[in-house]
Every structure is written in structure tokens, then in C-alpha cells.
Amino acid sequence: MNEEKVARICWNANNWQFPSGKAGKVASGSSGAYETKTGYGHEEWLFDVSKLVNGYHYAYIQAIGQHREKYEGEKFNISFYTIDSAKKERWWLGEIHNVHVVSSDESRSVYAGLKEMFAQLEAVGADVDEFKGIEPKGFCCIKFRPRDMLLLEEPRLFASNDPAVKSDYYNLKNKVGNPRGIETRKFHFTPGSTTKKGSTTARYSSQTKDIDLVHNQIQEQIFEQLTKIHGKEHVSCEQDTGFGTKVDVAVRSSDGYTFYELKTANTSKQCIREALAQLMEYAYYPGESRASRLIVVGPVDLSRESKKYLENLRSKFSLPLYYRKFDLETKKLLITHLSQPLIRAGRSVQPPDPARVAPCPRMPSS
């Protein structure tokens, strides 16, 4: 049986497959931190298993590398977490089993692949000279097989006072358990909104690009509008799917849930392209059926081609996918571009143009 350990690794917004730059690294006030000085950490390639040597991925983690002599020859199951220092957020990443601590001689033997790493560091403005100064014997300190990676599908946010992590330092610690709420949960509808206008919400997947505050403002406006229509007990903003992902807005009705995914692209085709995979995952991953209606929301009119595309998806795959425009001038979600009469509070209401009106969730009788 391997010892169970936990280790912190540097912040990275690219799933630890290549460097992501200085953003989120240890604050500048921590002058002694390696990642502050250089703009990168050696763990930035920890999950890049594209280059194997004899079936193993070789990597470096500071928690072991700075005490190699103490751990050399040992084998651990290690759980990993990280801290986004810019946002003061902690993220649990999952675990890797059968992590071997390698000798300095073995490190020298796999030193060859550095040229590609130099180029990746230069691309994010890191101190390449510092990296080039690494001795071959200190290049890596662990190895593991890709099959032993048991990472979460999505990094999970956890509280700073959670007893699972008792130290913020880059030390190898004995594992006492997983943070609260890390395990996969059932979908549980939670009405209300935890967002604030103009603010951002914590999602690791959104860290790889600038978070669009306009998106969040529109999201809150849609939530408020749907709450007035369906009642506050039937509308959720940032609804947790149970798998570390969140639906922009969800509406509960007697015939199921409607998921809304908002995009701010300037064409309806691009909005659909960006939202479709997310909506499918939110509704059906891994073998569920959480929503009876999926709606893409965009700030532009639905083009003729996009309308035909949605009709084709509904016809060929019975996919309950629709589009609604959010009017930036009126700040309203319009009931257009859909194909059936509006249903509200158990009554069918014929709109001015039935050919362009969508099914809206049937509300429970009050």
C-alpha cells in the first residue's frame, strides 16, 4: 500500500500541460517564491503526458524536488491542489497513484526534451535563462504512468479553512481526506443567484481567457427577467450540475428543466457553436438527462442559416435545442426564433407571430 500524500503545485490556467504566465502565481510580495522570481513553476508540465520514456511521464514537483534525498526510491499516491493567488481561490485537482521518486541519475537520462519547454516559456514571457540554468540531475524528481492519473473532470473550488489542507507551503503532507463537497454530487436544483452584477464567478475553465463582465451583467438581467415570469423559486443562476460545472441560468417547470447558456459572440452561428457542447454536457453527461429544453442565448438575431441548422438538429437528432436573442438596447430576453406557442402557467398563449415563438417551460399551477 502506498502512503497517501497531498501536495500543492503552482497555479496554471492551461491544465498543467504548458506554462500559462505570471497571472495567478504567488504574489510579488512573496519575494522568496521561485514562481514569483521567474514567472513559472516547474509543475506547469505536470499533466502533459504526450512525451513518455519507457511508458512513464517524468515531471517535477517542488514538494518532493526540494527534499529529493528524503524521498528517493519511495512510491506515493499524491493528491494535488493549487491556489490562484490573484483571486485567493483554492482548487482541488485530483490524484495520481504510484508516483515514483526518481534519482538524480535517472533525471539526467531524461533531460533531453528541454528545447520545446524553452520555447513555451518564452511564449509567456518567463525567465528562460533561469530555466536553462537547471542542472540535468534536478530536471525531474518523479515519474508515473498516465493510467494512474485520477484527476477530476474539472478542478473543484474548496474553502481556505477546509481541514483537508493544513498548510499553504510547497511541502509533501500526509493526506487526511478530500475537501468537503469534492465528490461528484447529484444534480440538485438550487433557486436564486449567487452572482453580483459586474462580478465574476469562480470557474477554472474560464481562467484560460479574460472573463467577460458583460456576460455576467447580461446573465443577471436574464435571471431577473425569468424570475419575474416564473417565480424566484423556479429560477437558478449558476446552477451546479454536480460535476464541477455550472449552467448560466436554469428554469424549473412541471415538464423538466430548461438550461440557458449565454454567449456574447457577434453571430448566431458562433454563439451556437460555443454553447452547444456546454449545453450537451450540462444536460447529458455522463449518462443523465437533466434538461428537457436547451436554449442558446446571444445578442444578435438568428440568421436564416442558423435557424435552418437548429431545425435540422431537432429533426435529425430530436435535440431540444433553441435560440433566444438578448436585446442589448431593451435589456430583455426576446421570445423569438422558436417554433411553438408560448406556454405559461398551464395556459397556451398565442404570440403575434406563432412561427417564431418557442416553447417556454410549463409552470406548476399555483
Side-chain angles (χ1 to χ4, degrees), residues 1 13 15 20 24 48 52 56 60 72 92 94 127 142 152 214 232 238 243 245 249 251 260 272 276 356 359:
M1 295 290 290
N15 293 300
S20 61
D48 175 18
L52 303 181
Y56 284 95
Y60 182 97
E72 188 171 320
W92 193 260
D127 186 347
I142 61 171
L152 299 177
V214 174
K232 62 182 181 180
E238 292 292 312
F243 284 86
T245 53
V249 180
V251 175
Y260 291 79
I272 294 169
L276 179 55
R356 302 183 67 206

Side-chain angles (χ1 to χ4, degrees), residues 83-341:
I83 299 177
D84 180 348
S85 295
K87 301 179 182 297
K88 309 300 181 185
E89 294 171 352
R90 297 169 180 235
W91 298 84
W92 193 260
L93 309 178
E95 57 192 279
I96 302 176
H97 289 180
N98 302 314
V99 178
H100 299 255
V101 181
V102 304
S103 67
S104 56
D105 288 340
E106 193 168 356
S107 176
R108 288 189 188 96
S109 70
V110 295
Y111 182 70
L114 281 180
K115 289 186 178 179
E116 181 179 347
M117 300 172 97
F118 293 157
Q120 291 176 347
L121 287 171
E122 288 173 341
V124 295
D127 186 347
V128 180
D129 292 335
E130 181 77 19
F131 191 68
K132 289 180 178 179
I134 298 172
E135 294 185 17
K137 68 178 182 180
F139 169 59
C140 61
C141 62
I142 61 171
K143 68 178 181 180
F144 57 86
R145 295 187 184 276
R147 68 187 182 209
D148 288 324
M149 298 175 69
L150 303 174
L151 303 178
L152 299 177
E153 294 284 358
E154 295 275 345
R156 298 287 184 91
L157 198 66
F158 68 98
S160 60
N161 61 351
D162 195 292
V165 174
K166 298 181 180 299
S167 169
D168 289 342
Y169 299 108
Y170 292 89
N171 296 321
L172 194 65
K173 308 292 289 186
N174 292 327
K175 184 177 179 180
V176 297
N178 290 331
R180 293 184 291 265
I182 292 302
E183 291 77 12
T184 297
R185 303 180 298 276
K186 292 286 187 180
F187 176 83
H188 177 71
F189 184 76
T190 307
S193 173
T194 58
T195 64
K196 296 180 181 179
K197 293 180 180 179
S199 67
T200 61
T201 54
R203 296 186 188 186
Y204 172 78
S205 59
S206 66
Q207 308 294 335
T208 57
K209 57 185 178 181
D210 292 334
I211 298 175
D212 186 1
L213 295 182
V214 174
H215 170 285
N216 294 347
Q217 293 168 351
I218 295 174
Q219 180 184 7
E220 188 68 20
Q221 290 162 349
I222 292 172
F223 169 75
E224 291 175 357
Q225 179 181 343
L226 292 175
T227 296
K228 291 178 181 178
I229 296 172
H230 303 293
K232 62 182 181 180
E233 70 275 19
H234 296 295
V235 185
S236 172
C237 192
E238 292 292 312
Q239 169 64 48
D240 194 336
T241 63
F243 284 86
T245 53
K246 295 181 179 181
V247 185
D248 279 346
V249 180
V251 175
R252 177 174 57 185
S253 63
S254 60
D255 62 348
Y257 296 96
T258 299
F259 288 175
Y260 291 79
E261 182 63 24
L262 167 65
K263 298 299 175 184
T264 56
N266 56 13
T267 69
S268 57
K269 178 182 177 181
Q270 185 67 25
C271 289
I272 294 169
R273 177 187 296 165
E274 293 177 6
L276 179 55
Q278 288 178 261
L279 284 168
M280 294 286 283
E281 179 185 324
Y282 298 160
Y284 306 123
Y285 180 87
E288 308 294 327
S289 183
R290 300 183 188 89
S292 57
R293 216 167 278 103
L294 309 175
I295 298 182
V296 179
V297 178
V300 293
D301 287 323
L302 185 68
S303 69
R304 181 182 304 173
E305 292 81 4
S306 292
K307 182 176 184 293
K308 186 175 181 179
Y309 175 48
L310 292 180
E311 290 171 348
N312 199 24
L313 291 177
R314 291 196 293 267
S315 173
K316 288 185 179 297
F317 306 107
S318 300
L319 189 63
L321 181 67
Y322 302 90
Y323 181 94
R324 291 182 69 173
K325 175 185 176 181
F326 182 85
D327 192 308
L328 295 173
E329 293 186 13
T330 63
K331 298 183 179 179
K332 295 293 183 182
L333 185 63
L334 305 182
I335 307 173
T336 57
H337 310 312
L338 298 157
S339 57
Q340 297 178 18

